[in-house]
Amino acid sequence: MILTEHGVYLRERVLELARAGVPFSDRTIKKNLFSAVARATYAVADIIAPVCSYNATWERFYGVPDDRIMVIYNGVDERRFDDRNFRPERPTVTAMVRIDPLKDIETLVASAPFVRERFPDVVFDIWGPIHDEAYNRQVVELVGVLGLEECVRFRGSTSDPAAAYAEASVVALSSISEGFPYSVIEAMMCAKPVVATDVGGAREAIGECGTVVPPKRPQRLAEALCDMLARPEEAVLVGKRARERALELFTLSGCLASYRALYAEVASAVPVGARA
Amino acid sequence: MSDDRDAFEPFERREHAVESAARTIVALSRRDRFGIGWRPKGVDEVAILLESLGYSPEVVAELWYPDLFALARDVSTAVNRYVTDEERREPPTLDWFTQTCRDYAIGSLYSAPWIVAVIGLAIFGASLWSSLSTPLHLATAIALGVYAAQIVSGFFSQGIARRLTFYFLQANDSLMAWTVRRFVAAGLLTTAVVSAGVFAGLAAFVGYSDALLSALFCAGTAIFQLALAPLYTLRRFTWIVALAILATAITGGTFVFIFHRHVDVPWEPATLAVEVGLLGAAILASTMSWLARRAARSGAPVPPALDSIVRSTFPYALFGALYFTSILIDRIAAGIAAANGRGFAYASAYELGADIALLAILPVVVVINVMLEALPRRILKGAEGAIRDLEKFDRSMLRFYGWGILAVATATLFAVLLGEVVGPRMILSARLGTIGDAALSLAVLRVAIPAYGLVMLGLLNTQLLFFLSRPRAPVIGTAAGTIAALATCGWALAVHLSAEAMVGGLLASALTFTAITTVAAVRTMRRFSYSYYAAY
């Protein structure tokens, strides 16, 4: 059995429980249930394939030995996410996220006034479906409270994310928990500079080709965004380097080849009689 | 000197950072309305929150921690400190009726196994099976085993309760585990010795099979009672109710579906004893493993001297053993009377009357638990007053005690009426051998209910005195009660009175025990503030 864990299951469930405000007894029961599911799955899996090295630290904490962990990075299609060499007229900060508390869009919205102070015509484009209706209302309310209706635009889902990335001056991610964020490597593949919070595998993905900031720090996020927007030429160079890194490490073909090799290796270790 | 201070600065900074992280987590829990009682539990949850707050590997390394989890370990300790402070708030004030209902519900949980067993066995149609549908020699063996078990478990349950409560209120997991391990080990050893003694003592008179049955009931019952003792003290009511349901379902199911409501040979009831014992052992093992896991997280304990623990808990344990002895003597004497000079035989009719009386007295038990639930609130209210208010506080506590006596008396009266209405029907439906037996059961029932009511008042006194660390009067009360029961029953046996007369022993024991503890309780409650401060 091969377990591919895109986030860290237990970590995300605990954050959900924390936010949901469930009574203590429910929370304890649910946490124990989730914990039992996660630990049982770790125990029976032959190989656990996290999508970044950072997540492996959590799996080790939950008792998985090193020799059963094999990191395989996510990959994206380099033909679909291409470098369109497009520079938007207005400074544009793009986020490609579902509207969900784990993505902490409030922090991104809260950073907007700071950015707007230096770039009055800046626009924040938030792409992605609504995953949590209550949280969406909360974020929209925050936009109203901060008077950002002209600055922050909720663009909804898109079937052509590459086009959305192309319109960006810089791509932002403000999550409080991540596995190995697709939006980061897609943006990198599209040759866009990225500013992301330092959670999960974000730092590992970005390397030297972008900026990481602590989560839940709107001002720090704003500073990093302003830094990119203030030096557009350099931002373009950062974007080019990001695509080179993505082509080297995060291609879909590379990812699939790694999984195929892993499946073959595990399958060859299983006795013939057990395969039926 | 200044260099020394500089050298310590990084450590101080790190300590401040840990405290700050803990405060942030607690504050965040409040601000985000994480829910009533939501707090990070365990190192992993703290690590998750820290990570979401931006404690990246770089930040963690700056604080000289090898990884996030090492930081989380220290922060989780600090979080507990802040959470404790935050949770020490005044409980919401409820109107007296709601509060009483709430206390009644919580108080009922203490009697949950009893209630569950009664309801469960009634559902199975197996109520009072040992009294009614069992051959006399088996019922005799079972009764002797259960009597011995109650005295043994009474001794250790009280000991565990006293010491464990002390560490439970301090949230001292290490010493809780330490205490339970030692008391349980001693309890099991004593159970084994007493069970072996029961076997050895009876084998020559009743044969090996019945002696073994008696020993198994002694061991099984004692282990199960011993297993429930830590759960009571830790207030794990859900578990207590669940386990009582499980025990009733297993034994009731076996009795109904396997033995078809009738046992004829010793191995059949022995199976039930083994089931109860094994369930008790499983509960003990899981409780001790749970405590050990908690203790492992708290670090190694600094164990107190064992002899000082034994000395401090002995009076309470002695009370437990004497209490059960004092309320069992009449049953044993009734058995001797029923055997007509041939040793001891289970006195079915007498036991039936006494058992129904115990069921009728259940509302009184709950009243006591209501009083005990309300007591800490009363004390808290008094503790907030100034020194000049102490007299007023003492008067209020005496009044509270007076209300307690009145409540117990009222509940006992209710139990007497209940016994009058329901008792005869239950006795008649029990299909006893003769009309004479039914009359005997009814006579016993009529005396036993007020006698047990008095015992309950004595227990209320005892709990109040125990609360104030004054075990002397309850111990003297039960010892004197035991002597009174022995004297009364001894006299009744000497002049060849019938089994029915032995209930006089129960009444004498109850009167003695309650009189002594009431005098002590009144004297203590009149100077409650002094007694309270002297106790702690």
Side-chain angles (χ1 to χ4, degrees):
Chain A
M1 178 177 160
I2 298 169
L3 171 68
T4 301
E5 205 173 17
H6 284 268
V8 175
Y9 174 77
L10 195 49
R11 185 178 64 184
E12 286 168 17
R13 293 297 80 72
V14 166
L15 282 173
E16 266 176 24
L17 288 174
R19 195 186 160 276
V22 290
F24 184 76
S25 51
D26 284 17
R27 184 192 75 104
T28 305
I29 291 166
K30 284 179 180 164
K31 159 78 191 304
N32 289 343
L33 179 68
F34 295 145
S35 177
V37 169
R39 284 169 200 268
T41 315
Y42 288 150
V44 297
D46 297 298
I47 291 289
I48 290 142
V51 290
C52 62
S53 304
Y54 184 78
N55 284 2
T57 59
W58 281 92
E59 284 147 2
R60 279 189 208 101
F61 176 75
Y62 286 123
V64 180
D66 278 342
D67 61 356
R68 284 171 51 215
I69 295 177
M70 184 177 169
V71 176
I72 298 179
Y73 290 127
N74 287 337
V76 293
D77 187 346
E78 62 270 31
R79 286 162 302 181
R80 187 173 173 216
F81 293 94
D82 55 347
D83 178 4
R84 300 190 183 179
N85 216 4
F86 177 80
R87 292 169 71 173
E89 286 176 15
R90 290 173 70 180
T92 305
V93 176
T94 296
M96 186 69 70
V97 287
R98 62 178 192 272
I99 312 292
D100 184 283
L102 286 180
K103 302 299 176 187
D104 194 16
I105 298 160
E106 285 168 300
T107 291
L108 181 65
V109 171
S111 73
F114 298 111
V115 179
R116 196 171 57 172
E117 262 180 40
R118 282 187 64 187
F119 302 95
D121 58 342
V122 72
V123 60
F124 281 68
D125 275 344
I126 298 172
W127 295 87
I130 297 167
H131 191 253
D132 183 329
E133 197 60 57
Y135 184 68
N136 181 54
R137 280 197 297 275
Q138 212 170 304
V139 174
V140 171
E141 197 181 312
L142 181 65
V143 168
V145 168
L146 296 175
L148 295 169
E149 290 88 347
E150 299 296 315
C151 174
V152 177
R153 300 187 300 200
F154 293 94
R155 307 288 298 266
S157 299
T158 173
S159 56
D160 187 5
Y165 287 121
E167 290 174 21
S169 310
V170 55
V171 173
L173 180 77
S174 55
S175 298
I176 55 167
S177 177
E178 281 292 347
F180 193 69
Y182 267 108
S183 66
V184 167
I185 55 174
E186 285 169 0
M188 288 169 72
M189 199 60 96
C190 293
K192 292 295 174 184
V194 178
V195 173
T197 44
D198 192 3
V199 290
R203 177 183 285 270
E204 213 173 321
I206 292 169
E208 302 295 316
C209 311
T211 309
V212 287
V213 294
K216 284 188 177 284
R217 303 280 196 286
Q219 202 159 353
R220 292 285 297 277
L221 180 63
E223 282 166 13
L225 290 171
C226 289
D227 200 37
M228 286 288 180
L229 294 173
R231 293 175 296 162
E233 298 307 324
E234 199 172 320
V236 169
L237 288 177
V238 170
K240 300 283 181 201
R241 281 208 311 274
R243 179 165 167 86
E244 280 166 24
R245 180 175 167 80
L247 284 170
E248 187 188 340
L249 296 171
F250 312 130
T251 58
L252 183 61
S253 52
C255 170
L256 293 177
S258 298
Y259 276 113
R260 275 194 203 104
L262 176 62
Y263 290 157
E265 190 188 323
V266 172
S268 67
V270 177
V272 175
R275 290 185 203 178
Chain B
M1 194 67 190
S2 155
D3 285 351
D4 285 352
R5 249 202 325 271
D6 290 347
F8 281 113
E9 202 197 325
F11 294 100
E12 285 174 8
R13 221 162 357 107
R14 176 169 130 142
E15 206 170 300
H16 287 159
V18 168
E19 295 289 323
S20 157
R23 278 198 303 274
T24 309
I25 283 180
V26 174
L28 188 76
S29 303
R30 285 189 204 133
R31 192 173 58 223
D32 283 4
R33 288 184 292 134
F34 279 175
I36 299 164
W38 200 98
R39 288 293 178 271
K41 193 179 166 193
V43 173
D44 61 337
E45 289 192 20
V46 173
I48 288 164
L49 287 181
L50 285 175
E51 193 190 52
S52 75
L53 285 168
Y55 285 80
S56 62
E58 281 68 26
V59 177
V60 170
E62 274 173 25
L63 295 172
W64 297 5
Y65 282 100
D67 57 30
L68 179 68
F69 305 105
L71 170 64
R73 250 171 228 115
D74 282 359
V75 173
S76 64
T77 311
V79 161
N80 289 337
R81 212 158 40 237
Y82 290 109
V83 168
T84 306
D85 289 343
E86 192 243 345
E87 285 183 348
R88 207 179 288 160
R89 57 176 182 262
E90 198 175 332
T93 311
L94 301 172
D95 65 89
W96 72 268
F97 183 74
T98 315
Q99 187 68 61
T100 306
C101 290
R102 188 181 162 277
D103 289 347
Y104 193 86
I106 294 172
S108 302
L109 291 172
Y110 284 97
S111 310
W114 197 358
I115 297 169
V116 168
V118 169
I119 296 172
L121 293 176
I123 290 169
F124 281 115
S127 304
L128 306 167
W129 65 274
S130 65
S131 307
L132 306 174
S133 57
T134 312
L136 185 62
H137 68 104
L138 295 185
T140 302
I142 292 168
L144 290 173
V146 171
Y147 295 160
Q150 282 182 326
I151 294 167
V152 171
S153 62
F155 184 89
F156 285 99
S157 298
Q158 283 293 334
I160 289 176
R162 183 68 192 174
R163 203 62 207 176
L164 201 57
T165 304
F166 184 66
Y167 295 130
F168 176 60
L169 294 175
Q170 295 173 354
N172 191 334
D173 294 333
S174 303
L175 285 181
M176 272 160 63
W178 186 91
T179 307
V180 171
R181 260 200 308 275
R182 275 150 190 80
F183 274 90
V184 165
L188 290 179
L189 191 65
T190 310
T191 301
V193 170
V194 172
S195 302
V198 166
F199 177 78
L202 292 181
F205 302 101
V206 297
Y208 285 116
S209 301
D210 284 1
L212 183 63
L213 173 65
S214 193
L216 284 174
F217 260 90
C218 177
T221 311
I223 291 170
F224 189 74
Q225 298 282 1
L226 206 59
L228 289 189
L231 299 181
Y232 272 112
T233 312
L234 301 172
R235 293 170 74 90
R236 302 276 150 184
F237 293 123
T238 316
W239 279 103
I240 291 169
V241 173
L243 291 168
I245 291 171
L246 185 64
T248 309
I250 291 173
T251 51
T254 307
F255 182 69
V256 173
F257 300 115
I258 298 179
F259 302 143
H260 305 292
R261 294 199 173 93
H262 197 81
V263 288
D264 295 307
V265 286
W267 73 264
E268 290 175 333
T271 308
L272 304 176
V274 171
E275 283 176 353
V276 169
L278 286 178
L279 183 60
I283 299 166
L284 269 181
S286 59
T287 305
M288 289 171 75
S289 138
W290 176 72
L291 279 170
R293 281 200 305 278
R294 286 176 66 107
R297 288 200 291 268
S298 315
V302 182
L306 189 59
D307 63 330
S308 76
I309 300 284
V310 172
R311 265 201 311 277
S312 65
T313 51
F314 184 74
Y316 300 92
L318 183 62
F319 165 81
L322 282 172
Y323 167 73
F324 280 104
T325 309
S326 70
I327 61 168
L328 288 173
I329 284 173
D330 63 301
R331 292 177 186 240
I332 296 169
I336 294 170
N340 290 322
R342 294 192 303 277
F344 174 87
Y346 185 73
S348 307
Y350 185 94
E351 295 272 352
L352 180 64
D355 284 346
I356 295 173
L358 272 178
L359 291 181
I361 214 72
L362 195 58
V364 190
V365 181
V366 180
V367 165
I368 292 174
N369 290 325
V370 170
M371 297 283 301
L372 295 177
E373 280 296 312
L375 184 64
R377 282 197 305 275
R378 292 271 173 167
I379 295 172
L380 198 63
K381 213 170 159 188
E384 284 168 357
I387 295 284
R388 64 177 178 279
D389 296 331
L390 284 181
E391 271 184 37
K392 202 170 133 196
F393 174 52
D394 286 346
R395 277 200 302 277
S396 81
M397 292 309 289
L398 193 61
R399 222 170 21 248
F400 170 71
Y401 175 62
W403 280 112
I405 293 177
L406 196 64
V408 170
T410 310
T412 304
L413 194 62
F414 174 72
V416 169
L417 293 174
L418 191 70
E420 282 298 321
V421 175
V422 181
R425 289 163 203 240
M426 286 181 78
I427 289 167
L428 287 174
S429 69
R431 295 192 298 278
L432 285 166
T434 63
I435 293 294
D437 282 347
L440 191 153
S441 290
L442 195 57
V444 170
L445 172 71
R446 284 182 172 148
V447 180
I449 292 179
Y452 284 133
L454 280 171
V455 171
M456 292 304 134
L457 181 56
L459 279 182
L460 171 65
N461 297 331
T462 300
Q463 292 299 332
L464 292 172
L465 291 166
F466 277 5
F467 184 79
L468 297 166
S469 304
R470 294 183 169 221
R472 199 168 57 180
V475 171
I476 293 172
T478 45
T482 304
I483 292 167
L486 279 173
T488 310
C489 292
W491 171 79
L493 286 172
V495 298
H496 304 294
L497 292 181
S498 69
E500 179 186 335
M502 303 310 155
V503 77
L506 176 66
L507 191 60
S509 161
L511 276 169
T512 312
F513 167 54
T514 306
I516 292 173
T517 51
T518 303
V519 170
V522 170
R523 288 173 64 174
T524 306
M525 296 303 278
R526 281 170 65 183
R527 299 175 66 205
F528 186 87
S529 52
Y530 169 80
S531 310
Y532 182 64
Y533 292 120
Y536 294 96

